[in-house]
Amino acid sequence: MRTLGVLGGMSWESTVTYYRSLNQGVRERLGGLHSAPLLIHSVDFAEIAAQQQSGDWAAAGRSLGQAARGLEVAGAGALLLATNTMHKVAAAIEAVVDIPLLHIGDAVGEPLRQQGVERAALLGTRFTMQEAFYRERLERRFGIEVLVPEPAAAQEIDRVIFQELCQGRFLPASREFYLAELEKFRASGAQAAILGCTEIGLLLEGCESPLPLVDSAERHVAMGLEWVLG
């Protein structure tokens, strides 16, 4: 197996899922006492979130680039950035390391393309939903038209992520709101929905969704697992 670096802590709620799922995947494939060879750098999310809110993406890119370089020096052969939103600074991270960054957009886009999906809804932070870095990668690389919520709904989706999910709160009312938004997308012609924030899958776990769901964290873990196992 090869050693994988994980840039996490954004939030640590989803990083726990990455750690557990990578290890479970190795155990399922290899059996016995096998577990995943991982190096994890978990940041203080308060600092990154403040840079997001102020629009200081350059500072966020420098911080994550430094962390990524540290993982490379420590022996990581590839990187998972365990967050959708911070892939906005993926290029800044890639510029300072000599190992591959396994991009979450590709982890999401490939299964959608294989399933023949041409129109997909996107739920995530307001940065992920409204800015171009995520949508354009899916559109250009995989030919997927990305649908996003109306502004008021997008604001509430974003609020739930930062004020609830990232703090370990998974409330029934928020779950119902997300499911109602998915139903609106189904009615408007979406063929699937991307859970484009790594905490949303925790909120909707076990729910019956009106649309097929592509959980970005789950697909990203699968990409990382394939790399680890070669």
Side-chain angles (χ1 to χ4, degrees):
M1 289 188 288
R2 297 182 288 185
T3 300
L4 179 65
V6 179
L7 276 170
M10 298 165 280
S11 71
W12 66 259
E13 294 285 348
S14 62
T15 304
V16 169
T17 299
Y18 272 77
Y19 180 74
R20 181 176 59 249
S21 299
L22 285 164
N23 280 295
Q24 286 175 338
V26 167
R27 183 171 61 189
E28 288 167 4
R29 300 281 189 95
L30 301 182
L33 296 177
H34 286 290
S35 57
L38 303 173
L39 294 170
I40 300 176
H41 184 123
S42 187
V43 304
D44 180 358
F45 190 31
E47 296 177 2
I48 298 294
Q51 291 164 344
Q52 291 177 349
Q53 297 300 324
S54 67
D56 195 354
W57 297 99
R62 287 193 297 271
S63 296
L64 293 181
Q66 183 178 12
R69 180 62 181 155
L71 289 172
E72 180 180 18
V73 170
L79 296 169
L80 285 186
L81 177 57
T83 160
N84 286 270
T85 297
M86 295 315 297
H87 277 75
K88 180 175 171 67
V89 299
I93 296 171
E94 290 171 323
V96 297
V97 296
D98 295 317
I99 57 177
L101 175 69
L102 307 180
H103 200 288
I104 201 167
D106 299 339
V108 166
E110 186 57 36
L112 287 172
R113 179 165 61 185
Q114 291 176 1
Q115 295 165 21
V117 172
E118 297 178 349
R119 303 185 80 213
L122 173 62
L123 303 182
T125 68
R126 62 186 174 89
F127 309 108
T128 300
M129 292 186 291
Q130 295 172 0
E131 298 195 25
F133 71 95
Y134 200 91
R135 291 183 287 106
E136 286 186 355
R137 193 175 187 99
L138 292 174
E139 290 165 357
R140 292 175 179 174
R141 292 196 171 206
F142 302 99
I144 297 166
E145 180 185 357
V146 178
L147 310 178
V148 297
E150 295 294 326
Q155 182 176 354
E156 177 63 6
I157 289 167
D158 182 83
R159 184 199 68 77
V160 168
I161 289 169
F162 282 101
Q163 296 185 19
E164 296 177 17
L165 308 187
C166 289
Q167 299 182 42
R169 301 170 63 214
F170 305 98
L171 305 182
S174 297
R175 185 176 297 112
E176 291 304 314
F177 174 76
Y178 273 56
L179 290 172
E181 287 302 306
L182 291 172
E183 173 56 31
K184 291 179 184 177
F185 279 120
R186 186 201 64 77
S188 65
Q191 299 164 282
I194 302 162
L195 304 185
C197 172
T198 49
E199 287 82 14
I200 297 177
L202 301 173
L203 176 68
L204 299 184
E205 186 175 6
C207 291
E208 184 174 342
S209 170
L211 281 172
L213 302 178
V214 176
D215 186 330
S216 59
E218 181 181 293
R219 297 311 310 168
H220 206 199
V221 164
M223 175 183 274
L225 187 60
E226 291 303 315
W227 185 88
V228 167
L229 296 171

